[in-house]
Amino acid sequence: MLPLKEKDKPIVRKLLSSGCCARCVLRFCCVSVQAAYRKPPQDTLKELQAFISNTENSTSQESAADSTEENSKSHDAAVSEPLGEPPNKRVKLEPVGTEEEEEAAAPAVAKLKEEESSVCVACLGILQELCGSTQAVKIAERVKTEKYEFDTVVLSVSLPAQLCVREHSCWLHVKKELREKSMAVDKDNAVQVKEAFKWIMQGLVAKELGGVVVVARSLFEVSVEFTHPETDADCHFLASTCADCFKSTKNKQSVFTRMAVVKALEKISDAVFLKHYACPPAQPTSSCSPQYVQCLHVSIFIAGRYNKFSRCLPQTPWVIDGERRMESSVEELIAAPVLSSFRADGFNFSSSGREDVDVRTLGNGRPFAMELLNPHRSRLSKVEMKQLQETINESSDKIRVRDLQIVSREAMSRMKEGEEDKTKSYTALVWTRKPIQSDDIAFIDDIKDLTLDQKTPLRVLHRRALAVRQRVVHRMNTRFLDSHHFYLELKTQAGTYIKEFVHGDFGRTKPNLSVLLKTDTDILELDVESVDVDWPPSIPE
Amino acid sequence: MDCLEQKDTEATAPSVIERYYTRWFRADMKGKPCEDHCILQHSNRLCVVTLAETHPILQNGRAIKSINYKISNCCSRLNNKVSGKSKRGGQFLTDFAPLCRITCTDETEYTIYSCIRGRLLEVNESILETPTLLLEKPSTEGYIAVILPKFEESKTITENLLSREEFESIVSKRAVAQSPPS
């Protein structure tokens, strides 16, 4: 039995006669029992017919399922005539009896007939033939072609915005009737098309996908999008009545977004709405278009450390005026094998600081993390991660990766935390204009915690704010090479610009090495020896 | 394919300027003989305004008496402030905008000009404290100002300027003109 109350009867009658499908009638009657929607709609329709026929003729207690064709014809008369429905409103009750019988013999024919005969004015077919096991199989097939790995699923639905307009129109239609009977409209507890669709389809799709579990917060989402070009114009009158709700923005295809339409409908008065739009809504000739199915797995994150052994490899693709400068980059070398292992659509690369194209990163390497977008595969074992790391390392001798692992989104923030506080070690090859002996540079080894005032280097001033930043060089060590060259090892606060400390940047870093040595100095090579961040955790080889 | 690993020897004195900057010149600024300016344009489009080696201030052992960034009663380049990545608030300069006036101890006075269109990012305050920087290192620590051309003008602003070769040929002609006819 349908969980309907006596007060629902006028609503049911009104909606059925205006071309609403059985499931939409349940929605408007706030039926929140999911099982009621999962029943075949033909059965529901019969039950509804029986339900309203009881009002008309309370002595007749026979169930709708048993009602004869004659009976349904009498319902028809009982329902539509007293209400004075215009004859052009196709009454749904009429063909039911015959159709039921036909369907038993030839379901396909009967179904086709129903499709042809009446597309619901409220859901545009979404809760009719677009909602059932045939459709569930179709959706599942689409999902399967993508070969995702997942064990839970959630279904999401995107509906044409005009559904809101049609829903509104149906409510006004019901309201008219109820006001005559001085009953309140319970709009808030009505069931949304979306909800009903998910109640019916989610389980069916999950079953077709091999019995995966439906979880509201699943990592894997299958979204089904419906469009209905035939009735797209339904929304258009709102643009003139509620112009302020439809501001055009560059990146939107249409101003008639669902949100905007809902907002406009909240504002519009019933009288204005009724002036512009049919109540109940006009009968569509076709159902919504075959749905567009899209799958999305939430991002997963991986982290590790990389070495860069080349002085002509940028960290990220280097493009100037739309033209590529170097043939590869650290992130691309790492990303290519990673994307193919996780079968992800894209990635976002981030790292704990970055080095210039001509700077090598040695030692334990620089921590990095990658967000993998829409990974079709999301779980790799430790062994598989190790293999992936090997693949990356074998693919190029310009980089090397270690500690490669899957991490949580939250853990990624550890990398960016305290970016200013951590320390970094470097080795620089320094040139001096004046000839030097090892004694001349020995004093540098004794300098501890030297505070620099660094103006934003000219090198990056075009894209960073101008400021004077204080940075600390904790320790320095010199290794004499020849009369014009020495190696300078430095341990500095993160964010210190080493090149500028060595050459002075037009005197904009003070003090700088040329001030300390009282001769022009320049930097010929720079290596990052360590980035002292204890994340991600190291993985023993 | 790896790039050349360059290890400079004593023979080649490396320089930050040669590596990252292009030198542009304006000779005889505003028709005043030998008042040559040198603009160092970084590959990131930023420009550093400096005195060319041939500028009279750097000749004849002149010494500097004063440097004044206050170019009129109401405008001082020292008041220039830029904020944020977009360098809001910087004074916008055209080719002939004066940057500062330099007076030498022999009472000669010279005006240094922007030479290019762009937003003034900073002036070199170090030369106020240590004017000798201007004489000793005119193209590095003794720079005058840093200007950021508009992105869309970064290629065209140097069209009115002389390349190094063009400038050197002008300078060599000057030398010929000055040397007594034999």
Side-chain angles (χ1 to χ4, degrees), chain A residues 310-312 321 398 431 455 458-459 461-466 483-485 503 506-508 510 520 522-525, chain B residues 2-3 7-8 10 13-16 19 21 40 42 44 46 48 82 84-85 87 121-122 126 137 139-141 143 155:
Chain A
S310 165
R311 295 199 189 278
C312 13
D321 295 339
K398 292 180 178 177
W431 170 88
K455 277 192 188 155
L458 294 175
R459 175 163 64 93
L461 185 56
H462 62 300
R463 56 183 158 89
R464 284 188 204 161
L466 177 61
S483 58
H484 286 279
H485 299 92
H503 64 58
F506 292 70
R508 298 169 74 261
K510 285 177 191 166
D520 288 348
D522 197 4
I523 181 161
L524 306 182
E525 283 176 8
Chain B
D2 221 282
C3 56
K7 271 210 176 156
D8 286 64
E10 289 171 52
S15 137
V16 172
R19 254 179 295 156
Y21 294 83
L40 304 172
H42 194 279
N44 67 15
L46 205 118
V48 182
V82 292
K85 286 180 186 175
K87 317 294 186 296
L121 299 193
E122 66 177 37
S126 301
K137 296 178 172 178
S139 60
T140 55
E141 272 107 309
Y143 72 99
K155 295 277 188 292

Short mmCIF file of all heavy atoms in Angstrom, two decimals, chain A residues 310-312 321 398 431 455 458-459 461-466 483-485 503 506-508 510 520 522-525, chain B residues 2-3 7-8 10 13-16 19 21 40 42 44 46 48 82 84-85 87 121-122 126 137 139-141 143 155:
data_model
loop_
_atom_site.label_atom_id
_atom_site.label_comp_id
_atom_site.label_asym_id
_atom_site.label_seq_id
_atom_site.Cartn_x
_atom_site.Cartn_y
_atom_site.Cartn_z
N SER A 310 70.81 17.83 -13.62
CA SER A 310 71.11 18.58 -14.84
C SER A 310 71.04 20.08 -14.58
O SER A 310 70.23 20.54 -13.77
CB SER A 310 70.10 18.20 -15.93
OG SER A 310 70.15 19.13 -16.97
N ARG A 311 71.88 20.84 -15.29
CA ARG A 311 71.83 22.30 -15.17
C ARG A 311 71.03 22.93 -16.32
O ARG A 311 71.08 24.13 -16.53
CB ARG A 311 73.25 22.89 -15.16
CG ARG A 311 74.05 22.47 -13.95
CD ARG A 311 75.23 23.37 -13.71
NE ARG A 311 76.09 22.81 -12.68
CZ ARG A 311 75.86 22.94 -11.38
NH1 ARG A 311 74.82 23.63 -10.97
NH2 ARG A 311 76.66 22.38 -10.49
N CYS A 312 70.38 22.08 -17.08
CA CYS A 312 69.48 22.66 -18.10
C CYS A 312 68.13 21.98 -18.06
O CYS A 312 67.52 21.75 -19.09
CB CYS A 312 70.07 22.63 -19.49
SG CYS A 312 71.47 21.62 -19.69
N ASP A 321 56.65 33.61 -23.98
CA ASP A 321 55.88 34.07 -25.14
C ASP A 321 55.28 32.88 -25.89
O ASP A 321 55.32 32.82 -27.11
CB ASP A 321 56.78 34.88 -26.11
CG ASP A 321 57.26 36.17 -25.47
OD1 ASP A 321 56.61 36.61 -24.51
OD2 ASP A 321 58.28 36.70 -25.92
N LYS A 398 68.59 12.41 -15.64
CA LYS A 398 68.61 13.80 -15.18
C LYS A 398 68.00 13.98 -13.80
O LYS A 398 68.27 14.96 -13.13
CB LYS A 398 67.82 14.68 -16.17
CG LYS A 398 68.49 14.80 -17.53
CD LYS A 398 67.64 15.67 -18.43
CE LYS A 398 68.32 15.84 -19.77
NZ LYS A 398 67.49 16.62 -20.69
N TRP A 431 83.56 32.87 -8.19
CA TRP A 431 84.68 33.50 -8.91
C TRP A 431 85.01 34.82 -8.22
O TRP A 431 84.11 35.53 -7.77
CB TRP A 431 84.26 33.75 -10.36
CG TRP A 431 85.18 34.59 -11.18
CD1 TRP A 431 86.25 34.17 -11.91
CD2 TRP A 431 85.13 36.03 -11.35
NE1 TRP A 431 86.87 35.23 -12.53
CE2 TRP A 431 86.20 36.39 -12.21
CE3 TRP A 431 84.28 37.02 -10.86
CZ2 TRP A 431 86.44 37.71 -12.59
CZ3 TRP A 431 84.52 38.34 -11.24
CH2 TRP A 431 85.59 38.67 -12.10
N LYS A 455 66.87 42.74 -0.86
CA LYS A 455 65.76 43.29 -1.64
C LYS A 455 65.35 42.21 -2.61
O LYS A 455 66.19 41.43 -3.06
CB LYS A 455 66.22 44.52 -2.43
CG LYS A 455 66.22 45.79 -1.60
CD LYS A 455 66.41 47.00 -2.48
CE LYS A 455 66.60 48.23 -1.62
NZ LYS A 455 67.34 49.28 -2.32
N LEU A 458 66.33 41.41 -8.64
CA LEU A 458 65.86 41.93 -9.93
C LEU A 458 65.37 40.78 -10.82
O LEU A 458 64.43 40.92 -11.58
CB LEU A 458 67.00 42.68 -10.63
CG LEU A 458 67.47 43.96 -9.92
CD1 LEU A 458 68.68 44.54 -10.63
CD2 LEU A 458 66.35 44.99 -9.86
N ARG A 459 66.04 39.64 -10.66
CA ARG A 459 65.71 38.44 -11.42
C ARG A 459 64.24 38.03 -11.29
O ARG A 459 63.65 37.49 -12.23
CB ARG A 459 66.62 37.33 -10.84
CG ARG A 459 66.50 35.95 -11.31
CD ARG A 459 67.77 35.20 -10.89
NE ARG A 459 67.98 35.09 -9.45
CZ ARG A 459 67.57 34.04 -8.73
NH1 ARG A 459 66.91 33.07 -9.26
NH2 ARG A 459 67.83 34.00 -7.43
N LEU A 461 61.90 40.25 -9.68
CA LEU A 461 61.11 41.42 -9.27
C LEU A 461 59.89 41.66 -10.15
O LEU A 461 58.92 42.26 -9.73
CB LEU A 461 62.03 42.65 -9.26
CG LEU A 461 61.44 43.97 -8.74
CD1 LEU A 461 60.89 43.81 -7.33
CD2 LEU A 461 62.50 45.06 -8.76
N HIS A 462 59.94 41.17 -11.40
CA HIS A 462 58.79 41.38 -12.28
C HIS A 462 57.56 40.63 -11.82
O HIS A 462 56.45 40.97 -12.18
CB HIS A 462 59.15 40.96 -13.71
CG HIS A 462 59.49 39.51 -13.86
ND1 HIS A 462 60.53 38.93 -13.18
CD2 HIS A 462 58.92 38.53 -14.58
CE1 HIS A 462 60.58 37.64 -13.50
NE2 HIS A 462 59.61 37.38 -14.35
N ARG A 463 57.75 39.58 -11.01
CA ARG A 463 56.56 38.83 -10.58
C ARG A 463 56.40 38.75 -9.07
O ARG A 463 55.47 38.13 -8.58
CB ARG A 463 56.56 37.43 -11.20
CG ARG A 463 57.79 36.61 -10.91
CD ARG A 463 57.72 35.27 -11.63
NE ARG A 463 59.03 34.68 -11.81
CZ ARG A 463 59.60 33.87 -10.94
NH1 ARG A 463 58.98 33.56 -9.82
NH2 ARG A 463 60.80 33.37 -11.17
N ARG A 464 57.30 39.36 -8.33
CA ARG A 464 57.13 39.37 -6.87
C ARG A 464 57.14 40.80 -6.36
O ARG A 464 57.71 41.69 -6.99
CB ARG A 464 58.25 38.58 -6.20
CG ARG A 464 58.01 37.12 -6.37
CD ARG A 464 58.94 36.25 -5.59
NE ARG A 464 58.98 34.96 -6.29
CZ ARG A 464 59.91 34.07 -6.13
NH1 ARG A 464 60.88 34.28 -5.30
NH2 ARG A 464 59.87 32.94 -6.79
N ALA A 465 56.54 40.97 -5.20
CA ALA A 465 56.47 42.31 -4.62
C ALA A 465 57.88 42.76 -4.22
O ALA A 465 58.73 41.95 -3.89
CB ALA A 465 55.56 42.29 -3.40
N LEU A 466 58.07 44.07 -4.29
CA LEU A 466 59.34 44.63 -3.86
C LEU A 466 59.34 44.72 -2.34
O LEU A 466 58.43 45.25 -1.73
CB LEU A 466 59.51 46.04 -4.47
CG LEU A 466 60.76 46.81 -4.06
CD1 LEU A 466 62.03 46.07 -4.46
CD2 LEU A 466 60.75 48.20 -4.67
N SER A 483 93.34 30.45 -7.89
CA SER A 483 93.50 31.86 -7.52
C SER A 483 92.26 32.72 -7.80
O SER A 483 92.18 33.85 -7.33
CB SER A 483 94.72 32.45 -8.23
OG SER A 483 94.54 32.31 -9.64
N HIS A 484 91.32 32.21 -8.57
CA HIS A 484 90.10 32.99 -8.80
C HIS A 484 88.82 32.23 -8.43
O HIS A 484 87.74 32.75 -8.65
CB HIS A 484 90.02 33.43 -10.27
CG HIS A 484 90.97 34.54 -10.60
ND1 HIS A 484 90.71 35.86 -10.33
CD2 HIS A 484 92.20 34.51 -11.16
CE1 HIS A 484 91.72 36.61 -10.72
NE2 HIS A 484 92.65 35.81 -11.22
N HIS A 485 88.98 31.01 -7.92
CA HIS A 485 87.78 30.21 -7.66
C HIS A 485 87.84 29.51 -6.31
O HIS A 485 88.90 29.06 -5.89
CB HIS A 485 87.61 29.13 -8.75
CG HIS A 485 87.44 29.69 -10.12
ND1 HIS A 485 88.48 29.91 -10.98
CD2 HIS A 485 86.32 30.10 -10.77
CE1 HIS A 485 88.03 30.42 -12.11
NE2 HIS A 485 86.72 30.55 -12.01
N HIS A 503 76.70 37.43 -5.85
CA HIS A 503 77.09 38.53 -6.75
C HIS A 503 76.59 39.90 -6.30
O HIS A 503 77.02 40.92 -6.83
CB HIS A 503 76.73 38.23 -8.21
CG HIS A 503 75.27 38.10 -8.51
ND1 HIS A 503 74.37 39.09 -8.26
CD2 HIS A 503 74.56 37.07 -9.05
CE1 HIS A 503 73.16 38.69 -8.64
NE2 HIS A 503 73.25 37.47 -9.11
N PHE A 506 73.53 44.13 -7.85
CA PHE A 506 73.65 45.59 -7.92
C PHE A 506 73.68 46.20 -6.51
O PHE A 506 73.19 47.30 -6.30
CB PHE A 506 72.49 46.20 -8.73
CG PHE A 506 72.51 45.87 -10.20
CD1 PHE A 506 72.24 44.59 -10.63
CD2 PHE A 506 72.80 46.84 -11.15
CE1 PHE A 506 72.25 44.27 -11.99
CE2 PHE A 506 72.82 46.54 -12.51
CZ PHE A 506 72.55 45.25 -12.92
N GLY A 507 74.24 45.44 -5.58
CA GLY A 507 74.33 45.95 -4.21
C GLY A 507 73.01 45.90 -3.47
O GLY A 507 72.86 46.51 -2.41
N ARG A 508 72.04 45.17 -4.01
CA ARG A 508 70.71 45.14 -3.39
C ARG A 508 70.60 44.08 -2.31
O ARG A 508 69.63 44.06 -1.56
CB ARG A 508 69.64 44.97 -4.47
CG ARG A 508 69.66 46.17 -5.46
CD ARG A 508 68.82 45.97 -6.69
NE ARG A 508 67.39 46.09 -6.41
CZ ARG A 508 66.56 45.08 -6.23
NH1 ARG A 508 67.01 43.83 -6.32
NH2 ARG A 508 65.30 45.28 -5.99
N LYS A 510 72.59 43.01 1.02
CA LYS A 510 73.65 43.55 1.87
C LYS A 510 73.69 42.83 3.21
O LYS A 510 72.63 42.72 3.83
CB LYS A 510 73.42 45.03 2.13
CG LYS A 510 73.75 45.90 0.95
CD LYS A 510 73.42 47.34 1.27
CE LYS A 510 73.48 48.20 0.02
NZ LYS A 510 72.86 49.49 0.21
N ASP A 520 84.98 42.04 -6.60
CA ASP A 520 83.80 41.54 -7.31
C ASP A 520 83.76 40.02 -7.23
O ASP A 520 84.79 39.36 -7.40
CB ASP A 520 83.85 41.96 -8.78
CG ASP A 520 83.58 43.44 -8.95
OD1 ASP A 520 83.14 44.07 -7.96
OD2 ASP A 520 83.81 43.96 -10.05
N ASP A 522 81.35 36.47 -8.37
CA ASP A 522 80.24 35.99 -9.17
C ASP A 522 80.04 34.51 -8.88
O ASP A 522 80.95 33.83 -8.40
CB ASP A 522 80.52 36.22 -10.66
CG ASP A 522 79.26 36.12 -11.50
OD1 ASP A 522 78.15 35.95 -10.92
OD2 ASP A 522 79.36 36.20 -12.73
N ILE A 523 78.85 34.04 -9.18
CA ILE A 523 78.53 32.64 -8.92
C ILE A 523 78.49 31.90 -10.26
O ILE A 523 77.82 32.32 -11.19
CB ILE A 523 77.22 32.52 -8.12
CG1 ILE A 523 76.90 31.06 -7.81
CG2 ILE A 523 76.06 33.20 -8.84
CD1 ILE A 523 75.92 30.90 -6.67
N LEU A 524 79.25 30.82 -10.35
CA LEU A 524 79.34 30.08 -11.61
C LEU A 524 78.47 28.83 -11.60
O LEU A 524 77.94 28.44 -12.63
CB LEU A 524 80.79 29.67 -11.88
CG LEU A 524 81.80 30.82 -11.86
CD1 LEU A 524 83.19 30.30 -12.19
CD2 LEU A 524 81.41 31.91 -12.85
N GLU A 525 78.36 28.22 -10.44
CA GLU A 525 77.54 27.01 -10.32
C GLU A 525 76.91 27.00 -8.95
O GLU A 525 77.50 27.51 -8.00
CB GLU A 525 78.41 25.75 -10.45
CG GLU A 525 78.82 25.41 -11.86
CD GLU A 525 79.76 24.21 -11.88
OE1 GLU A 525 79.96 23.57 -10.84
OE2 GLU A 525 80.30 23.95 -12.97
N ASP B 2 72.61 17.63 -23.13
CA ASP B 2 72.84 18.48 -21.98
C ASP B 2 73.55 19.75 -22.43
O ASP B 2 74.27 19.76 -23.41
CB ASP B 2 73.68 17.73 -20.96
CG ASP B 2 73.18 17.99 -19.56
OD1 ASP B 2 73.48 19.07 -19.03
OD2 ASP B 2 72.47 17.13 -19.03
N CYS B 3 73.31 20.81 -21.69
CA CYS B 3 73.96 22.04 -22.09
C CYS B 3 75.42 22.02 -21.68
O CYS B 3 75.84 21.19 -20.90
CB CYS B 3 73.25 23.24 -21.49
SG CYS B 3 73.14 23.16 -19.71
N LYS B 7 82.88 26.18 -17.25
CA LYS B 7 83.75 26.48 -16.12
C LYS B 7 84.68 27.59 -16.55
O LYS B 7 85.56 27.40 -17.36
CB LYS B 7 84.55 25.25 -15.71
CG LYS B 7 83.82 24.39 -14.70
CD LYS B 7 84.76 23.66 -13.79
CE LYS B 7 83.95 22.92 -12.75
NZ LYS B 7 84.60 21.78 -12.18
N ASP B 8 84.40 28.77 -16.02
CA ASP B 8 85.18 29.90 -16.47
C ASP B 8 86.59 29.83 -15.92
O ASP B 8 86.82 29.41 -14.80
CB ASP B 8 84.51 31.18 -16.02
CG ASP B 8 83.28 31.46 -16.83
OD1 ASP B 8 82.32 30.65 -16.75
OD2 ASP B 8 83.25 32.44 -17.56
N GLU B 10 90.31 32.13 -15.58
CA GLU B 10 90.66 33.53 -15.31
C GLU B 10 90.49 34.38 -16.55
O GLU B 10 90.16 35.55 -16.46
CB GLU B 10 92.12 33.62 -14.85
CG GLU B 10 92.35 33.07 -13.48
CD GLU B 10 93.82 32.98 -13.17
OE1 GLU B 10 94.52 34.00 -13.33
OE2 GLU B 10 94.28 31.90 -12.79
N ALA B 13 86.41 36.91 -17.62
CA ALA B 13 85.81 37.46 -16.41
C ALA B 13 84.30 37.39 -16.57
O ALA B 13 83.76 38.06 -17.44
CB ALA B 13 86.28 38.89 -16.19
N PRO B 14 83.64 36.55 -15.81
CA PRO B 14 82.19 36.44 -15.99
C PRO B 14 81.50 37.66 -15.43
O PRO B 14 82.10 38.45 -14.72
CB PRO B 14 81.85 35.21 -15.16
CG PRO B 14 82.88 35.18 -14.09
CD PRO B 14 84.13 35.81 -14.65
N SER B 15 80.28 37.85 -15.80
CA SER B 15 79.56 38.99 -15.27
C SER B 15 78.07 38.72 -15.31
O SER B 15 77.55 38.16 -16.27
CB SER B 15 79.91 40.23 -16.09
OG SER B 15 78.76 40.97 -16.36
N VAL B 16 77.45 39.10 -14.24
CA VAL B 16 76.01 38.94 -14.13
C VAL B 16 75.34 39.69 -15.27
O VAL B 16 74.39 39.20 -15.88
CB VAL B 16 75.53 39.49 -12.77
CG1 VAL B 16 74.02 39.52 -12.70
CG2 VAL B 16 76.11 38.66 -11.64
N ARG B 19 75.42 37.89 -18.59
CA ARG B 19 74.60 36.68 -18.61
C ARG B 19 73.10 36.98 -18.75
O ARG B 19 72.39 36.29 -19.45
CB ARG B 19 74.83 35.88 -17.33
CG ARG B 19 75.68 34.65 -17.55
CD ARG B 19 75.89 33.91 -16.26
NE ARG B 19 76.67 34.73 -15.33
CZ ARG B 19 76.63 34.59 -14.01
NH1 ARG B 19 75.86 33.70 -13.47
NH2 ARG B 19 77.36 35.36 -13.24
N TYR B 21 71.54 40.34 -18.91
CA TYR B 21 71.05 41.64 -19.35
C TYR B 21 71.50 41.97 -20.78
O TYR B 21 72.53 41.50 -21.23
CB TYR B 21 71.56 42.74 -18.42
CG TYR B 21 71.03 42.66 -17.01
CD1 TYR B 21 71.62 41.82 -16.07
CD2 TYR B 21 69.93 43.43 -16.61
CE1 TYR B 21 71.13 41.75 -14.77
CE2 TYR B 21 69.44 43.36 -15.31
CZ TYR B 21 70.05 42.53 -14.40
OH TYR B 21 69.57 42.45 -13.12
N LEU B 40 70.17 48.71 -18.86
CA LEU B 40 70.39 47.26 -18.82
C LEU B 40 69.02 46.60 -18.75
O LEU B 40 68.29 46.78 -17.77
CB LEU B 40 71.21 46.89 -17.58
CG LEU B 40 72.57 47.59 -17.45
CD1 LEU B 40 73.18 47.29 -16.09
CD2 LEU B 40 73.49 47.13 -18.57
N HIS B 42 66.92 43.33 -18.35
CA HIS B 42 66.96 41.92 -17.93
C HIS B 42 66.06 41.11 -18.85
O HIS B 42 65.12 41.65 -19.44
CB HIS B 42 66.49 41.81 -16.48
CG HIS B 42 66.79 40.49 -15.84
ND1 HIS B 42 66.02 39.37 -16.04
CD2 HIS B 42 67.80 40.11 -15.00
CE1 HIS B 42 66.53 38.36 -15.35
NE2 HIS B 42 67.60 38.78 -14.71
N ASN B 44 63.84 39.36 -18.06
CA ASN B 44 62.45 39.40 -17.57
C ASN B 44 61.78 40.75 -17.84
O ASN B 44 60.74 41.05 -17.28
CB ASN B 44 62.41 39.06 -16.07
CG ASN B 44 63.07 40.10 -15.20
OD1 ASN B 44 63.35 41.22 -15.61
ND2 ASN B 44 63.33 39.75 -13.96
N LEU B 46 62.63 43.82 -17.07
CA LEU B 46 62.96 44.88 -16.13
C LEU B 46 64.19 45.65 -16.63
O LEU B 46 65.08 45.07 -17.24
CB LEU B 46 63.29 44.17 -14.83
CG LEU B 46 63.15 44.87 -13.54
CD1 LEU B 46 62.10 44.10 -12.74
CD2 LEU B 46 64.45 44.83 -12.82
N VAL B 48 67.35 48.52 -15.79
CA VAL B 48 68.14 49.25 -14.81
C VAL B 48 68.79 50.43 -15.55
O VAL B 48 69.47 50.22 -16.55
CB VAL B 48 69.22 48.34 -14.19
CG1 VAL B 48 70.01 49.11 -13.12
CG2 VAL B 48 68.59 47.09 -13.59
N VAL B 82 56.07 51.29 -4.35
CA VAL B 82 55.26 50.32 -5.09
C VAL B 82 54.81 49.25 -4.12
O VAL B 82 55.52 48.91 -3.18
CB VAL B 82 56.05 49.67 -6.25
CG1 VAL B 82 56.33 50.68 -7.33
CG2 VAL B 82 57.32 49.00 -5.77
N GLY B 84 52.79 45.35 -3.73
CA GLY B 84 52.23 44.14 -4.32
C GLY B 84 52.96 43.69 -5.56
O GLY B 84 53.88 44.34 -6.05
N LYS B 85 52.52 42.54 -6.06
CA LYS B 85 53.14 41.97 -7.25
C LYS B 85 52.98 42.89 -8.44
O LYS B 85 53.82 42.95 -9.32
CB LYS B 85 52.46 40.63 -7.59
CG LYS B 85 52.83 39.50 -6.69
CD LYS B 85 52.10 38.24 -7.12
CE LYS B 85 52.34 37.11 -6.15
NZ LYS B 85 51.55 35.94 -6.47
N LYS B 87 52.95 46.04 -8.47
CA LYS B 87 53.73 47.29 -8.29
C LYS B 87 52.83 48.52 -8.37
O LYS B 87 53.13 49.49 -9.06
CB LYS B 87 54.85 47.39 -9.34
CG LYS B 87 55.63 46.11 -9.60
CD LYS B 87 56.43 45.68 -8.39
CE LYS B 87 57.33 44.49 -8.65
NZ LYS B 87 56.63 43.26 -9.00
N LEU B 121 60.24 51.45 -10.18
CA LEU B 121 60.15 50.52 -9.05
C LEU B 121 60.99 51.00 -7.87
O LEU B 121 60.55 50.99 -6.73
CB LEU B 121 60.61 49.11 -9.46
CG LEU B 121 59.81 48.42 -10.56
CD1 LEU B 121 60.18 46.94 -10.61
CD2 LEU B 121 58.31 48.56 -10.34
N GLU B 122 62.21 51.42 -8.16
CA GLU B 122 63.05 51.92 -7.07
C GLU B 122 64.15 52.81 -7.63
O GLU B 122 64.51 52.70 -8.80
CB GLU B 122 63.67 50.75 -6.27
CG GLU B 122 64.67 49.93 -7.07
CD GLU B 122 65.32 48.82 -6.24
OE1 GLU B 122 64.64 48.22 -5.40
OE2 GLU B 122 66.52 48.58 -6.45
N SER B 126 71.58 53.98 -2.19
CA SER B 126 72.95 53.76 -1.71
C SER B 126 73.90 54.84 -2.21
O SER B 126 74.85 55.19 -1.52
CB SER B 126 73.46 52.39 -2.17
OG SER B 126 72.64 51.38 -1.69
N LYS B 137 81.54 52.06 -9.69
CA LYS B 137 80.80 50.94 -10.28
C LYS B 137 79.53 51.46 -10.95
O LYS B 137 78.41 51.15 -10.51
CB LYS B 137 80.45 49.93 -9.20
CG LYS B 137 81.68 49.28 -8.58
CD LYS B 137 81.30 48.32 -7.50
CE LYS B 137 82.53 47.55 -7.06
NZ LYS B 137 82.23 46.62 -5.97
N SER B 139 77.93 50.74 -13.55
CA SER B 139 76.94 49.85 -14.17
C SER B 139 76.43 48.77 -13.20
O SER B 139 75.60 47.96 -13.59
CB SER B 139 77.52 49.20 -15.43
OG SER B 139 78.66 48.46 -15.08
N THR B 140 76.89 48.77 -11.96
CA THR B 140 76.32 47.79 -11.00
C THR B 140 75.82 48.52 -9.76
O THR B 140 74.71 49.06 -9.77
CB THR B 140 77.33 46.69 -10.63
OG1 THR B 140 78.53 47.28 -10.14
CG2 THR B 140 77.64 45.83 -11.83
N GLU B 141 76.62 48.57 -8.71
CA GLU B 141 76.16 49.20 -7.46
C GLU B 141 75.82 50.68 -7.62
O GLU B 141 75.07 51.22 -6.83
CB GLU B 141 77.22 49.04 -6.36
CG GLU B 141 77.08 47.77 -5.57
CD GLU B 141 78.17 46.78 -5.91
OE1 GLU B 141 78.36 46.53 -7.12
OE2 GLU B 141 78.81 46.27 -4.98
N TYR B 143 74.03 52.05 -9.91
CA TYR B 143 72.88 52.25 -10.81
C TYR B 143 72.02 53.40 -10.31
O TYR B 143 72.13 53.81 -9.15
CB TYR B 143 72.07 50.96 -10.95
CG TYR B 143 71.26 50.59 -9.73
CD1 TYR B 143 69.89 50.88 -9.65
CD2 TYR B 143 71.83 49.93 -8.64
CE1 TYR B 143 69.14 50.54 -8.53
CE2 TYR B 143 71.09 49.59 -7.52
CZ TYR B 143 69.74 49.90 -7.47
OH TYR B 143 69.01 49.57 -6.37
N LYS B 155 59.12 44.87 -25.63
CA LYS B 155 59.98 44.72 -26.80
C LYS B 155 60.19 46.06 -27.51
O LYS B 155 61.24 46.31 -28.08
CB LYS B 155 59.36 43.73 -27.80
CG LYS B 155 59.26 42.30 -27.28
CD LYS B 155 60.55 41.53 -27.45
CE LYS B 155 60.37 40.07 -27.13
NZ LYS B 155 60.10 39.84 -25.69
#
